[in-house]
């Protein structure tokens, strides 16, 4: 009985650890502040990026979707390091069809070389 109890407690800690790793606080959090359809081929998207380390540059992937939620445009946005933990960024996404919504696909600290070079 005691061994079974210890096994259940250890399994509980393992599940809690894995859940925290997957769903716990992340080093980079994003929030969509809004979007505006400029014309049939352009969408303006505003986002807020909050980082644990504000000096760390990140790249965010912003996309435009049509009425059927199909992606009609995507853009990588470099968010350079700053003194502020949270920054607001506005970007323009060119689209292949009229967009009806904008979305943040995600952010990463793995910045492609071509974006890193332009930031220096």
């Amino acid at each position: 009985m005691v061994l079974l109890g210890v096994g259940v407690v250890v399994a509980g800690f393992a599940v809690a650890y894995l859940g925290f790793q997957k769903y716990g606080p992340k080093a980079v959090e994003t929030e969509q502040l809004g979007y505006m359809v400029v014309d049939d081929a352009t969408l303006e998207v505003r986002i807020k990026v909050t980082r644990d380390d504000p000096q760390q540059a990140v790249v965010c992937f912003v996309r435009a979707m049509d009425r059927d939620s199909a992606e009609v445009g995507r853009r990588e946005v470099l968010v350079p390091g700053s003194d502020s933990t949270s920054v607001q960024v506005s970007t323009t996404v060119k689209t292949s069809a009229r967009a009806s919504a904008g979305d943040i696909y995600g952010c990463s600290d793995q910045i492609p070389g071509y974006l890193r070079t332009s930031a220096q």
Side-chain angles (χ1 to χ4, degrees):
M1 268 318 238
V2 172
L3 190 57
L4 180 62
V6 170
V8 169
V9 169
V10 169
F13 277 119
V15 169
Y17 175 77
L18 293 174
F20 183 78
Q21 291 293 343
K22 184 167 183 154
Y23 301 110
K26 297 181 178 34
V28 179
E29 297 281 342
T30 59
E31 177 183 348
Q32 181 173 322
L33 298 176
Y35 61 87
M36 180 177 73
V37 177
V38 178
D39 57 35
D40 286 346
T42 311
L43 182 75
E44 176 102 7
V45 181
R46 290 181 336 146
I47 63 174
K48 179 180 174 183
V49 179
T50 304
R51 300 168 279 196
D52 286 347
D53 179 7
Q55 298 297 320
Q56 175 70 43
V58 296
V59 61
C60 293
F61 305 94
V62 179
R63 62 186 180 164
M65 282 105 42
D66 66 9
R67 284 188 186 168
D68 298 325
S69 297
E71 185 175 294
V72 292
R74 179 183 287 215
R75 176 148 191 200
E76 297 171 337
V77 180
L78 178 66
V79 182
S82 71
D83 294 330
S84 178
T85 306
S86 293
V87 293
Q88 293 184 17
V89 178
S90 182
T91 190
T92 302
V93 180
K94 291 296 182 181
T95 63
S96 60
R98 185 170 183 85
S100 63
D103 185 26
I104 307 166
Y105 187 72
C107 292
S108 171
D109 61 357
Q110 303 298 312
I111 301 172
Y114 60 89
L115 285 178
R116 214 175 307 124
T117 307
S118 67
Q120 296 175 354

